[in-house]
Amino acid sequence: MAINLQKGQRISLEKSNGSKLQNVCVGINWGAIEKKGLFGFGSSKEAVDLDASCALYNENKQLLEVVYFGNLKSKNGSVKHSGDDLTGDMGGDDGLDNEIITLDFSKLDANVAYVAFVLNSFRGHDFGTIPFASIRIYEGTTKQVTEVFARYDIANGSNFAGHVSMVMGVFYKKDNEWKFNAIGEPTKDKKLEDTVKTVTQNYL
């Protein structure tokens, strides 16, 4: 059964059978904004373009590289991005991830100590207006999910209103073992490069 993460919760990546997660998918799912018609009659859906990104740092908290819609693969191929989703779920929550970042811990460069996941609203949509957004960590591939390890609902709180950027969570290496910190904090940043700096300063 998947772990329902709480803000600030830290977990190991040990599965129920005692083995560790190696090939991990981090999937992000979000909904389009429903807009009411004039005088309350009818409604329409407004597409929401959120961008999931992944930043890799060394143990000295120095940025090594960023994987995002403009750079879909890390230098050695250990981290891959599924590509940009420009709309979100237009017909309601279909249970499928809009953007997926895959991570193979066994192929990560030895000097990588932190892998942070952030989310930015490309067109500046206020997170407070987005009906749902969640992150889930699972093992397998983008086409075949073998086990949902953990799930975290990241846009179900008033603290997200007025923000267009957030830090979702960070994988970090401790005693040569990978763990995950569910951060779920909005930031005041407007652009990805600024969010990445905020991670460096506050969340590693």
Side-chain angles (χ1 to χ4, degrees), residues 74-190:
S74 62
K75 294 174 184 176
N76 73 347
S78 60
V79 182
K80 298 177 182 178
H81 195 296
S82 63
D84 199 8
D85 184 297
L86 305 176
T87 63
D89 287 352
M90 297 295 287
D93 189 355
D94 60 9
L96 301 176
D97 297 317
N98 299 101
E99 293 187 8
I100 302 168
I101 299 175
T102 60
L103 170 63
D104 187 342
F105 287 108
S106 68
K107 294 182 179 178
L108 273 178
D109 283 341
N111 61 338
V112 175
Y114 303 94
V115 183
F117 289 81
V118 302
L119 193 65
N120 296 82
S121 177
F122 185 78
R123 297 193 184 97
H125 284 109
D126 187 328
F127 283 143
T129 65
I130 299 171
F132 60 87
S134 65
I135 175 176
R136 61 178 188 159
I137 301 169
Y138 53 92
E139 189 174 38
T141 67
T142 57
K143 295 182 179 179
Q144 183 177 8
V145 179
T146 57
E147 179 183 354
V148 176
F149 184 72
R151 178 184 173 89
Y152 184 34
D153 291 320
I154 54 178
N156 286 336
S158 59
N159 63 315
F160 290 102
H163 297 84
V164 298
S165 171
M166 71 171 73
V167 181
M168 295 186 287
V170 178
F171 288 104
Y172 62 99
K173 190 161 53 175
K174 184 177 182 181
D175 299 327
N176 211 33
E177 185 175 309
W178 285 97
K179 300 178 182 294
F180 182 73
N181 180 12
I183 293 172
E185 282 283 356
T187 79
K188 296 180 180 179
D189 305 310
K190 305 296 183 184

Side-chain angles (χ1 to χ4, degrees), residues 41-52:
F41 293 105
S43 63
S44 61
K45 289 291 182 72
E46 180 178 346
V48 174
D49 182 3
L50 299 186
D51 293 324

